Amino acid sequence: MKNNRRFLISIFILLSMVQCFFIAHRIYQNNRVLKKGKVFLFELKQKDPRDIFRGKYMELNYKNDTISLKNFDGLQVGQKIWVKIRKNKEGYAFIDSLYMVPPQDLTQIIPVKITNINIIGKKKIIQVKFPFDKFYINEFKMNKLQQVPVTNSPVSASYAKVRIWKGRGIVQELIINGKHIGK
Amino acid sequence: MSLKKDLNELLTQRIISEETAHKIANYYHQKAGENKSRLLTVFALLGVLLIGAGILLIIAYNWDMFSVSQKSILAFIPLVLGQIFGFYVLKYKYHSLTWRESAALIISFGIIIAFVLTSQIYHLNEDFSHLLLWWILLSIPLIYLFKSQSLGLFLFVLSNIYLFQNFHKPSKYFFLLFLFFLLLYYYQIEKTKNEPIIYFYRWIVSFSILIFLFSFFVNPISLLSLMGIFSLMFLCGVNKIKEESIFKNPYKWIGLVGIIALFLANSFRSFWKETDKFFELEGNWKPELIILSILILFYLYCLLNKKNKNSEIDSFSYFFILFIIFYILGAYFSFTFVLANIAVLGIGLRLMMYGEQTKRLDFFNLGLLSVLILIILHFFSNDIPFIYRGIAFILTGSFLIGINYFMIRRFGNEK
């Protein structure tokens, strides 16, 4: 009987370690992106306040979320693809190229979902949704933010500072109208 | 109080000895104590659920004065505290139901709190079903370690939510994994059978299995599987469970109504026209075929291992075999729908006879209803003038009322 209980307790300790490992792994994985990832500034188009039980968050819509292609078939809305991110002259991020399967070298690569395909002449304009489109915000700050529209002048820029590393992207900071919102 | 009075009376009348009176009083005293601890368990569990939800809401406030690493450490606290509590319970309070149940629930909530916090800290955009998957997988061992019936029930509910969110995705197969471990646990508590919570289990088990099969409702094999499940439920409900009422024994009634409903669906010619395509079996039907084979094996096992070999009511479960034969016939002959009509009529009459013999009005009415529904449905589907349809409806309605009145009086007289 006592041996039985000892067995139970050792299994329980093992299970607790497994449970903690999963949480620790999540934290480690994401922390690594914040530490080692390359910084990109994603210019904001608009924000959309939402509310779920995980907390209040902004749904972020980015300006440069399209890529235009010629002669590229076999893409569908909802499909998962991989894109390479680069910086433009103003220092903001844009989609440089598109991959159907994840490439060998994952630097500056993130997985995205196709949300829209527009055909203009011979060109196909593909709109995607980035995986880092949520930003959790303190609920009292959120109430103040809700009334403020997004502007994009050189003096008061609105963008998300995103770290990208090995196929993962995490929003590190959010700047709306030149003001730092949170991290 | 009245017990004491009764015992005194029995003592003075010398019907029982003083020792027996003492024993009886003791027995009822203990029983009252058990009831009290059960009530305590219920309130303890409600408390744990509320506290868990409260912590989640406090987290949702988003404490942005902490740095990322500070918040990461905070994410562990509820889980680790829960685990320490769990360790204490396993070591010192293992025999208390209340402690075990609360510990299991607290740890399970600790897991989801940690997951939600991490996704908030790093602004992760994940599906809730993804979190749900890990929550369930990491919590399932807890129900075995703590013998926690409430957590088991809770995980059944979560698994169903998971299935609903992944109804058309391949990730729904994880539900099978959950179901396997949860059913294994359910089987254990079904064997002991002394907790009222078992009735809730029976309902959620029926619900989970049916929903799972419906999510596969894409080809004919799933229809056969559905029939198999209904027959199995019915067999188990009749042979393994003593209770009769629909609340305590959903298997019997869901099974029986399901068998009748499927035969009713088959009694239409148009149904079998659709089934021509059934045997072409396009697409990915292998998982369904595996499920069906497992069901048939289970069914045969239950049929061979039933306790009372000559029980009359068991005969309804043989309709599964008949159903399979219909399917094979239906591939070659167009008259199979006529056979299905006869089958429904047969089941209905058989139920009525059984109800009449055993003086069970519920069986009798179910039989009667299945025959009447058969008639009514066919009146809708054929080109019959309204006036005849109206007359037929009135006649069947009056027949239903009349025969019930007659049967109630008869059963009442004989009792």
Side-chain angles (χ1 to χ4, degrees), chain A residues 123-147:
Chain A
K123 269 186 184 173
K124 265 187 186 170
I125 295 175
I126 294 166
Q127 192 174 21
V128 300
K129 194 177 174 206
F130 294 116
F132 39 81
D133 62 348
K134 264 183 192 169
F135 196 82
Y136 291 91
I137 290 175
N138 180 297
E139 66 179 317
F140 294 114
K141 278 188 184 171
M142 181 76 150
N143 293 340
K144 281 183 209 158
L145 262 176
Q146 267 168 8
Q147 284 90 31

PDB file of all heavy atoms in Angstrom, chain A residues 123-147:
ATOM      1  N   LYS A 123      -0.918  40.957 -63.338  1.00  0.00           N
ATOM      2  CA  LYS A 123      -0.354  40.822 -61.995  1.00  0.00           C
ATOM      3  C   LYS A 123      -1.349  40.202 -61.024  1.00  0.00           C
ATOM      4  O   LYS A 123      -2.554  40.425 -61.123  1.00  0.00           O
ATOM      5  CB  LYS A 123       0.041  42.198 -61.474  1.00  0.00           C
ATOM      6  CG  LYS A 123       1.455  42.580 -61.791  1.00  0.00           C
ATOM      7  CD  LYS A 123       1.747  43.880 -61.082  1.00  0.00           C
ATOM      8  CE  LYS A 123       3.136  44.393 -61.413  1.00  0.00           C
ATOM      9  NZ  LYS A 123       3.325  45.734 -60.837  1.00  0.00           N
ATOM     10  N   LYS A 124      -0.799  39.440 -60.108  1.00  0.00           N
ATOM     11  CA  LYS A 124      -1.609  38.927 -59.005  1.00  0.00           C
ATOM     12  C   LYS A 124      -1.134  39.602 -57.729  1.00  0.00           C
ATOM     13  O   LYS A 124       0.049  39.539 -57.404  1.00  0.00           O
ATOM     14  CB  LYS A 124      -1.395  37.421 -58.868  1.00  0.00           C
ATOM     15  CG  LYS A 124      -2.428  36.592 -59.580  1.00  0.00           C
ATOM     16  CD  LYS A 124      -2.226  35.142 -59.253  1.00  0.00           C
ATOM     17  CE  LYS A 124      -3.169  34.300 -60.076  1.00  0.00           C
ATOM     18  NZ  LYS A 124      -2.841  32.889 -59.972  1.00  0.00           N
ATOM     19  N   ILE A 125      -2.065  40.247 -57.024  1.00  0.00           N
ATOM     20  CA  ILE A 125      -1.668  40.872 -55.754  1.00  0.00           C
ATOM     21  C   ILE A 125      -2.167  40.002 -54.614  1.00  0.00           C
ATOM     22  O   ILE A 125      -3.368  39.775 -54.461  1.00  0.00           O
ATOM     23  CB  ILE A 125      -2.209  42.301 -55.648  1.00  0.00           C
ATOM     24  CG1 ILE A 125      -1.546  43.144 -56.741  1.00  0.00           C
ATOM     25  CG2 ILE A 125      -1.917  42.878 -54.271  1.00  0.00           C
ATOM     26  CD1 ILE A 125      -2.062  44.538 -56.845  1.00  0.00           C
ATOM     27  N   ILE A 126      -1.203  39.507 -53.862  1.00  0.00           N
ATOM     28  CA  ILE A 126      -1.547  38.575 -52.794  1.00  0.00           C
ATOM     29  C   ILE A 126      -1.432  39.268 -51.450  1.00  0.00           C
ATOM     30  O   ILE A 126      -0.376  39.813 -51.101  1.00  0.00           O
ATOM     31  CB  ILE A 126      -0.626  37.341 -52.858  1.00  0.00           C
ATOM     32  CG1 ILE A 126      -0.953  36.601 -54.151  1.00  0.00           C
ATOM     33  CG2 ILE A 126      -0.827  36.426 -51.662  1.00  0.00           C
ATOM     34  CD1 ILE A 126       0.014  35.610 -54.544  1.00  0.00           C
ATOM     35  N   GLN A 127      -2.550  39.250 -50.726  1.00  0.00           N
ATOM     36  CA  GLN A 127      -2.566  39.871 -49.400  1.00  0.00           C
ATOM     37  C   GLN A 127      -2.444  38.773 -48.347  1.00  0.00           C
ATOM     38  O   GLN A 127      -3.078  37.724 -48.461  1.00  0.00           O
ATOM     39  CB  GLN A 127      -3.859  40.646 -49.210  1.00  0.00           C
ATOM     40  CG  GLN A 127      -3.808  41.542 -47.999  1.00  0.00           C
ATOM     41  CD  GLN A 127      -5.040  42.412 -47.891  1.00  0.00           C
ATOM     42  OE1 GLN A 127      -6.078  42.114 -48.459  1.00  0.00           O
ATOM     43  NE2 GLN A 127      -4.918  43.498 -47.144  1.00  0.00           N
ATOM     44  N   VAL A 128      -1.615  39.008 -47.334  1.00  0.00           N
ATOM     45  CA  VAL A 128      -1.407  37.970 -46.317  1.00  0.00           C
ATOM     46  C   VAL A 128      -1.684  38.508 -44.921  1.00  0.00           C
ATOM     47  O   VAL A 128      -1.773  39.723 -44.706  1.00  0.00           O
ATOM     48  CB  VAL A 128       0.036  37.407 -46.370  1.00  0.00           C
ATOM     49  CG1 VAL A 128       0.337  36.802 -47.711  1.00  0.00           C
ATOM     50  CG2 VAL A 128       1.029  38.471 -45.991  1.00  0.00           C
ATOM     51  N   LYS A 129      -1.803  37.553 -44.001  1.00  0.00           N
ATOM     52  CA  LYS A 129      -1.999  37.912 -42.600  1.00  0.00           C
ATOM     53  C   LYS A 129      -0.767  37.439 -41.833  1.00  0.00           C
ATOM     54  O   LYS A 129      -0.418  36.257 -41.888  1.00  0.00           O
ATOM     55  CB  LYS A 129      -3.243  37.193 -42.100  1.00  0.00           C
ATOM     56  CG  LYS A 129      -3.740  37.715 -40.798  1.00  0.00           C
ATOM     57  CD  LYS A 129      -5.026  37.007 -40.412  1.00  0.00           C
ATOM     58  CE  LYS A 129      -5.399  37.459 -39.030  1.00  0.00           C
ATOM     59  NZ  LYS A 129      -6.176  36.554 -38.282  1.00  0.00           N
ATOM     60  N   PHE A 130      -0.121  38.374 -41.152  1.00  0.00           N
ATOM     61  CA  PHE A 130       1.067  38.009 -40.383  1.00  0.00           C
ATOM     62  C   PHE A 130       0.663  37.293 -39.091  1.00  0.00           C
ATOM     63  O   PHE A 130      -0.403  37.561 -38.545  1.00  0.00           O
ATOM     64  CB  PHE A 130       1.882  39.259 -40.046  1.00  0.00           C
ATOM     65  CG  PHE A 130       2.475  39.923 -41.252  1.00  0.00           C
ATOM     66  CD1 PHE A 130       2.087  41.199 -41.622  1.00  0.00           C
ATOM     67  CD2 PHE A 130       3.409  39.253 -42.025  1.00  0.00           C
ATOM     68  CE1 PHE A 130       2.622  41.803 -42.746  1.00  0.00           C
ATOM     69  CE2 PHE A 130       3.947  39.856 -43.145  1.00  0.00           C
ATOM     70  CZ  PHE A 130       3.550  41.130 -43.508  1.00  0.00           C
ATOM     71  N   PRO A 131       1.533  36.401 -38.592  1.00  0.00           N
ATOM     72  CA  PRO A 131       1.161  35.680 -37.359  1.00  0.00           C
ATOM     73  C   PRO A 131       1.165  36.576 -36.122  1.00  0.00           C
ATOM     74  O   PRO A 131       0.560  36.237 -35.127  1.00  0.00           O
ATOM     75  CB  PRO A 131       2.232  34.585 -37.253  1.00  0.00           C
ATOM     76  CG  PRO A 131       3.374  35.084 -38.050  1.00  0.00           C
ATOM     77  CD  PRO A 131       2.800  35.923 -39.148  1.00  0.00           C
ATOM     78  N   PHE A 132       1.844  37.731 -36.205  1.00  0.00           N
ATOM     79  CA  PHE A 132       1.935  38.603 -35.011  1.00  0.00           C
ATOM     80  C   PHE A 132       0.960  39.764 -35.156  1.00  0.00           C
ATOM     81  O   PHE A 132       1.358  40.903 -35.243  1.00  0.00           O
ATOM     82  CB  PHE A 132       3.371  39.106 -34.821  1.00  0.00           C
ATOM     83  CG  PHE A 132       4.064  39.445 -36.096  1.00  0.00           C
ATOM     84  CD1 PHE A 132       3.846  40.656 -36.714  1.00  0.00           C
ATOM     85  CD2 PHE A 132       4.919  38.525 -36.703  1.00  0.00           C
ATOM     86  CE1 PHE A 132       4.464  40.960 -37.909  1.00  0.00           C
ATOM     87  CE2 PHE A 132       5.554  38.830 -37.889  1.00  0.00           C
ATOM     88  CZ  PHE A 132       5.323  40.050 -38.495  1.00  0.00           C
ATOM     89  N   ASP A 133      -0.329  39.452 -35.193  1.00  0.00           N
ATOM     90  CA  ASP A 133      -1.290  40.539 -35.404  1.00  0.00           C
ATOM     91  C   ASP A 133      -2.105  40.845 -34.148  1.00  0.00           C
ATOM     92  O   ASP A 133      -3.171  41.406 -34.213  1.00  0.00           O
ATOM     93  CB  ASP A 133      -2.208  40.220 -36.581  1.00  0.00           C
ATOM     94  CG  ASP A 133      -3.031  38.990 -36.349  1.00  0.00           C
ATOM     95  OD1 ASP A 133      -2.726  38.266 -35.390  1.00  0.00           O
ATOM     96  OD2 ASP A 133      -3.976  38.746 -37.105  1.00  0.00           O
ATOM     97  N   LYS A 134      -1.582  40.396 -32.998  1.00  0.00           N
ATOM     98  CA  LYS A 134      -2.285  40.690 -31.751  1.00  0.00           C
ATOM     99  C   LYS A 134      -1.340  41.425 -30.826  1.00  0.00           C
ATOM    100  O   LYS A 134      -0.153  41.138 -30.788  1.00  0.00           O
ATOM    101  CB  LYS A 134      -2.688  39.379 -31.070  1.00  0.00           C
ATOM    102  CG  LYS A 134      -4.090  38.954 -31.378  1.00  0.00           C
ATOM    103  CD  LYS A 134      -4.400  37.705 -30.598  1.00  0.00           C
ATOM    104  CE  LYS A 134      -5.687  37.096 -31.098  1.00  0.00           C
ATOM    105  NZ  LYS A 134      -5.891  35.766 -30.564  1.00  0.00           N
ATOM    106  N   PHE A 135      -1.883  42.358 -30.067  1.00  0.00           N
ATOM    107  CA  PHE A 135      -1.071  43.014 -29.050  1.00  0.00           C
ATOM    108  C   PHE A 135      -1.908  43.210 -27.799  1.00  0.00           C
ATOM    109  O   PHE A 135      -2.863  43.970 -27.785  1.00  0.00           O
ATOM    110  CB  PHE A 135      -0.530  44.350 -29.571  1.00  0.00           C
ATOM    111  CG  PHE A 135       0.597  44.883 -28.744  1.00  0.00           C
ATOM    112  CD1 PHE A 135       1.893  44.419 -28.933  1.00  0.00           C
ATOM    113  CD2 PHE A 135       0.364  45.824 -27.753  1.00  0.00           C
ATOM    114  CE1 PHE A 135       2.939  44.894 -28.163  1.00  0.00           C
ATOM    115  CE2 PHE A 135       1.415  46.305 -26.974  1.00  0.00           C
ATOM    116  CZ  PHE A 135       2.702  45.839 -27.185  1.00  0.00           C
ATOM    117  N   TYR A 136      -1.546  42.489 -26.733  1.00  0.00           N
ATOM    118  CA  TYR A 136      -2.307  42.570 -25.480  1.00  0.00           C
ATOM    119  C   TYR A 136      -1.959  43.844 -24.733  1.00  0.00           C
ATOM    120  O   TYR A 136      -0.788  44.202 -24.625  1.00  0.00           O
ATOM    121  CB  TYR A 136      -2.017  41.351 -24.608  1.00  0.00           C
ATOM    122  CG  TYR A 136      -2.582  40.089 -25.183  1.00  0.00           C
ATOM    123  CD1 TYR A 136      -1.834  39.294 -26.031  1.00  0.00           C
ATOM    124  CD2 TYR A 136      -3.891  39.720 -24.901  1.00  0.00           C
ATOM    125  CE1 TYR A 136      -2.358  38.144 -26.575  1.00  0.00           C
ATOM    126  CE2 TYR A 136      -4.425  38.573 -25.439  1.00  0.00           C
ATOM    127  CZ  TYR A 136      -3.658  37.788 -26.268  1.00  0.00           C
ATOM    128  OH  TYR A 136      -4.180  36.658 -26.807  1.00  0.00           O
ATOM    129  N   ILE A 137      -2.991  44.522 -24.257  1.00  0.00           N
ATOM    130  CA  ILE A 137      -2.806  45.839 -23.652  1.00  0.00           C
ATOM    131  C   ILE A 137      -3.560  45.909 -22.336  1.00  0.00           C
ATOM    132  O   ILE A 137      -4.641  45.325 -22.196  1.00  0.00           O
ATOM    133  CB  ILE A 137      -3.310  46.937 -24.618  1.00  0.00           C
ATOM    134  CG1 ILE A 137      -2.371  47.023 -25.818  1.00  0.00           C
ATOM    135  CG2 ILE A 137      -3.391  48.290 -23.936  1.00  0.00           C
ATOM    136  CD1 ILE A 137      -2.824  47.965 -26.860  1.00  0.00           C
ATOM    137  N   ASN A 138      -2.975  46.634 -21.405  1.00  0.00           N
ATOM    138  CA  ASN A 138      -3.636  46.901 -20.129  1.00  0.00           C
ATOM    139  C   ASN A 138      -5.004  47.526 -20.378  1.00  0.00           C
ATOM    140  O   ASN A 138      -5.136  48.445 -21.178  1.00  0.00           O
ATOM    141  CB  ASN A 138      -2.747  47.862 -19.335  1.00  0.00           C
ATOM    142  CG  ASN A 138      -3.343  48.204 -18.009  1.00  0.00           C
ATOM    143  OD1 ASN A 138      -4.404  48.804 -17.949  1.00  0.00           O
ATOM    144  ND2 ASN A 138      -2.673  47.825 -16.955  1.00  0.00           N
ATOM    145  N   GLU A 139      -6.027  47.039 -19.663  1.00  0.00           N
ATOM    146  CA  GLU A 139      -7.382  47.413 -20.056  1.00  0.00           C
ATOM    147  C   GLU A 139      -7.691  48.892 -19.865  1.00  0.00           C
ATOM    148  O   GLU A 139      -8.505  49.439 -20.590  1.00  0.00           O
ATOM    149  CB  GLU A 139      -8.419  46.539 -19.347  1.00  0.00           C
ATOM    150  CG  GLU A 139      -8.515  46.707 -17.864  1.00  0.00           C
ATOM    151  CD  GLU A 139      -9.591  45.795 -17.301  1.00  0.00           C
ATOM    152  OE1 GLU A 139     -10.669  45.707 -17.896  1.00  0.00           O
ATOM    153  OE2 GLU A 139      -9.346  45.158 -16.260  1.00  0.00           O
ATOM    154  N   PHE A 140      -7.030  49.569 -18.906  1.00  0.00           N
ATOM    155  CA  PHE A 140      -7.314  50.990 -18.722  1.00  0.00           C
ATOM    156  C   PHE A 140      -6.664  51.828 -19.821  1.00  0.00           C
ATOM    157  O   PHE A 140      -7.228  52.805 -20.278  1.00  0.00           O
ATOM    158  CB  PHE A 140      -6.857  51.444 -17.336  1.00  0.00           C
ATOM    159  CG  PHE A 140      -7.655  50.803 -16.240  1.00  0.00           C
ATOM    160  CD1 PHE A 140      -7.086  49.911 -15.346  1.00  0.00           C
ATOM    161  CD2 PHE A 140      -9.022  51.055 -16.150  1.00  0.00           C
ATOM    162  CE1 PHE A 140      -7.841  49.306 -14.362  1.00  0.00           C
ATOM    163  CE2 PHE A 140      -9.789  50.444 -15.171  1.00  0.00           C
ATOM    164  CZ  PHE A 140      -9.194  49.569 -14.268  1.00  0.00           C
ATOM    165  N   LYS A 141      -5.468  51.406 -20.243  1.00  0.00           N
ATOM    166  CA  LYS A 141      -4.813  52.087 -21.363  1.00  0.00           C
ATOM    167  C   LYS A 141      -5.635  51.912 -22.635  1.00  0.00           C
ATOM    168  O   LYS A 141      -5.742  52.805 -23.461  1.00  0.00           O
ATOM    169  CB  LYS A 141      -3.429  51.489 -21.598  1.00  0.00           C
ATOM    170  CG  LYS A 141      -2.373  52.045 -20.681  1.00  0.00           C
ATOM    171  CD  LYS A 141      -1.023  51.546 -21.114  1.00  0.00           C
ATOM    172  CE  LYS A 141       0.056  52.009 -20.168  1.00  0.00           C
ATOM    173  NZ  LYS A 141       1.322  51.371 -20.460  1.00  0.00           N
ATOM    174  N   MET A 142      -6.192  50.713 -22.761  1.00  0.00           N
ATOM    175  CA  MET A 142      -6.958  50.366 -23.955  1.00  0.00           C
ATOM    176  C   MET A 142      -8.127  51.329 -24.129  1.00  0.00           C
ATOM    177  O   MET A 142      -8.395  51.794 -25.232  1.00  0.00           O
ATOM    178  CB  MET A 142      -7.460  48.939 -23.788  1.00  0.00           C
ATOM    179  CG  MET A 142      -8.236  48.440 -24.957  1.00  0.00           C
ATOM    180  SD  MET A 142      -7.114  48.051 -26.266  1.00  0.00           S
ATOM    181  CE  MET A 142      -8.042  46.764 -27.037  1.00  0.00           C
ATOM    182  N   ASN A 143      -8.823  51.646 -23.018  1.00  0.00           N
ATOM    183  CA  ASN A 143      -9.996  52.513 -23.107  1.00  0.00           C
ATOM    184  C   ASN A 143      -9.623  53.889 -23.663  1.00  0.00           C
ATOM    185  O   ASN A 143     -10.357  54.474 -24.448  1.00  0.00           O
ATOM    186  CB  ASN A 143     -10.640  52.670 -21.732  1.00  0.00           C
ATOM    187  CG  ASN A 143     -11.235  51.357 -21.262  1.00  0.00           C
ATOM    188  OD1 ASN A 143     -11.492  50.479 -22.085  1.00  0.00           O
ATOM    189  ND2 ASN A 143     -11.422  51.213 -19.966  1.00  0.00           N
ATOM    190  N   LYS A 144      -8.448  54.407 -23.262  1.00  0.00           N
ATOM    191  CA  LYS A 144      -8.008  55.702 -23.774  1.00  0.00           C
ATOM    192  C   LYS A 144      -7.651  55.599 -25.252  1.00  0.00           C
ATOM    193  O   LYS A 144      -7.944  56.479 -26.041  1.00  0.00           O
ATOM    194  CB  LYS A 144      -6.770  56.160 -22.994  1.00  0.00           C
ATOM    195  CG  LYS A 144      -7.095  56.738 -21.636  1.00  0.00           C
ATOM    196  CD  LYS A 144      -5.807  57.225 -21.000  1.00  0.00           C
ATOM    197  CE  LYS A 144      -5.894  57.151 -19.491  1.00  0.00           C
ATOM    198  NZ  LYS A 144      -4.568  57.110 -18.877  1.00  0.00           N
ATOM    199  N   LEU A 145      -7.008  54.476 -25.610  1.00  0.00           N
ATOM    200  CA  LEU A 145      -6.503  54.302 -26.971  1.00  0.00           C
ATOM    201  C   LEU A 145      -7.616  54.176 -27.999  1.00  0.00           C
ATOM    202  O   LEU A 145      -7.425  54.499 -29.164  1.00  0.00           O
ATOM    203  CB  LEU A 145      -5.656  53.037 -27.037  1.00  0.00           C
ATOM    204  CG  LEU A 145      -4.162  53.232 -26.939  1.00  0.00           C
ATOM    205  CD1 LEU A 145      -3.485  51.894 -26.921  1.00  0.00           C
ATOM    206  CD2 LEU A 145      -3.651  54.065 -28.099  1.00  0.00           C
ATOM    207  N   GLN A 146      -8.757  53.681 -27.538  1.00  0.00           N
ATOM    208  CA  GLN A 146      -9.815  53.350 -28.484  1.00  0.00           C
ATOM    209  C   GLN A 146     -10.235  54.540 -29.350  1.00  0.00           C
ATOM    210  O   GLN A 146     -10.578  54.374 -30.514  1.00  0.00           O
ATOM    211  CB  GLN A 146     -11.024  52.794 -27.730  1.00  0.00           C
ATOM    212  CG  GLN A 146     -10.971  51.285 -27.651  1.00  0.00           C
ATOM    213  CD  GLN A 146     -11.967  50.721 -26.673  1.00  0.00           C
ATOM    214  OE1 GLN A 146     -12.808  51.434 -26.150  1.00  0.00           O
ATOM    215  NE2 GLN A 146     -11.865  49.447 -26.423  1.00  0.00           N
ATOM    216  N   GLN A 147     -10.186  55.764 -28.773  1.00  0.00           N
ATOM    217  CA  GLN A 147     -10.669  56.927 -29.529  1.00  0.00           C
ATOM    218  C   GLN A 147      -9.637  57.448 -30.529  1.00  0.00           C
ATOM    219  O   GLN A 147      -9.971  58.182 -31.441  1.00  0.00           O
ATOM    220  CB  GLN A 147     -11.067  58.049 -28.566  1.00  0.00           C
ATOM    221  CG  GLN A 147     -12.387  57.829 -27.853  1.00  0.00           C
ATOM    222  CD  GLN A 147     -12.197  57.082 -26.546  1.00  0.00           C
ATOM    223  OE1 GLN A 147     -11.161  57.221 -25.915  1.00  0.00           O
ATOM    224  NE2 GLN A 147     -13.175  56.287 -26.154  1.00  0.00           N
TER     225      GLN A 147
END
